[in-house]
Structure formats: C-alpha cells, structure tokens
Amino acid sequence: MKFSVLVEVTLRSGIADPEGATIERALPALGFTGISSVRAGKAFRFDIDAANADVARDQALSLADRLLSNPVIEDATASVEPVS
Amino acid sequence: MKFSVLVEVTLRSGIADPEGATIERALPALGFTGISSVRAGKAFRFDIDAANADVARDQALSLADRLLSNPVIEDATASVEPVS
C-alpha cells in the first residue's frame, strides 16, 4: 500500500533560530500583527510503499534521523496518509 | 484566540528539485527501499492571535505569499490548529 509522508524538521527548542527571528522582526513593517514564536525548518514529502501506516511511519522516522535531520539540534516528526 | 500554524512551502510540480533528487539517489545505499517522489521544501511554524481559524488561515497564507515563499516557483499550504 502506498502512503504519502510529510517529514517536518524543526530546530529543537533552545537552539537559536536566526531565520525565524528575522522573519518575526520583519512582520510589523509588512502590516502583520499578532504573530509570534516563528520557527523556520525543513519539510520533506515522499511516497512510501509499506504494509501499513505504522511501518511507513517507522521507516520515515528512521530516514529522518539518518539522512534528513541532525538529531543533535533538530527534531523530526512524520505524518503519514494513505494515497488513494 | 490563539492558533498554531504550519506553513509548508514546496517547489511547484515541474520545477527541478535537486535536493530531493539527491536524497532519493542516496536511499538505496542506506538500505531504504520503496521510497519515491522525494521533494524538499521549507516548513514554518508560528502562533497567530485571530478571531477564528479562517481568519488565521487567511493571514498565514497572505504571509506565506508575501514573505515566506516565492509564488513563481513555490506553492504554500497552511494548516491551522487551535492552541489549548
């Protein structure tokens, strides 16, 4: 069965995020108010052929830890949806 | 009311994605099989103070178009969840 996976890689809390801070500083000049806690990260989308959603999620998180993120400073989460 | 927003910025289909292609080429050597259509993008998380989820989503998409993405080559999607 085929699953569509989104892996979101974000900096761990406590790790400085200059990109997010710069975006947040630019918001008032663009007229945006009420936006806070901006964090910048990476998003990876791919398809996995797997027996079920749990297997697909395990494989995605293993891939995230080994290739897509730096576990020392980044957290990775995976969301899995069946492809119709 | 406070909402947690995830803006996902991906390259439009048809735009070359060398980062995704490189990841996909590396997978067999790492023992991953059955993974295809890898696309690399950006993820932004922030909080919005807004009257309701629709207002929060509109504001997030407007921010995505004006600051977080390049609409010529990138698509942006926003998912909004209330913060408990």
Side-chain angles (χ1 to χ4, degrees):
Chain A
M1 198 174 166
K2 195 168 243 186
F3 296 90
S4 169
V5 179
L6 166 66
V7 170
E8 187 191 347
V9 176
T10 50
L11 288 164
R12 283 173 182 263
S13 60
I15 304 287
D17 178 2
E19 185 179 357
T22 303
I23 292 168
E24 199 164 333
R25 260 199 322 273
L27 295 177
L30 289 169
F32 292 100
T33 56
I35 296 179
S36 58
S37 309
V38 182
R39 303 284 284 175
K42 287 175 281 183
F44 300 93
R45 280 215 175 259
F46 47 85
D47 294 336
I48 291 189
D49 263 321
N52 59 54
D54 286 340
V55 172
R57 186 189 314 275
D58 284 351
Q59 206 172 4
L61 287 175
S62 160
L63 173 59
D65 270 358
R66 290 184 60 197
L67 185 62
L68 304 179
S69 73
N70 174 355
V72 177
I73 59 166
E74 291 172 329
D75 281 325
T77 58
S79 56
V80 174
E81 277 172 25
V83 175
S84 56
Chain B
M1 200 175 164
K2 195 168 244 188
F3 296 90
S4 169
V5 180
L6 166 67
V7 170
E8 187 192 348
V9 176
T10 51
L11 288 164
R12 283 172 180 264
S13 60
I15 304 287
D17 179 2
E19 185 178 355
T22 302
I23 291 167
E24 199 164 334
R25 260 198 323 273
L27 294 178
L30 288 170
F32 291 100
T33 56
I35 297 179
S36 59
S37 308
V38 181
R39 303 284 284 174
K42 287 174 281 183
F44 299 93
R45 280 214 174 261
F46 47 87
D47 294 335
I48 290 189
D49 262 321
N52 59 55
D54 286 341
V55 172
R57 186 187 316 275
D58 284 351
Q59 206 172 5
L61 287 174
S62 161
L63 173 59
D65 270 359
R66 291 183 60 197
L67 185 61
L68 304 179
S69 74
N70 174 355
V72 176
I73 58 166
E74 291 173 328
D75 282 324
T77 57
S79 56
V80 174
E81 277 172 25
V83 175
S84 56

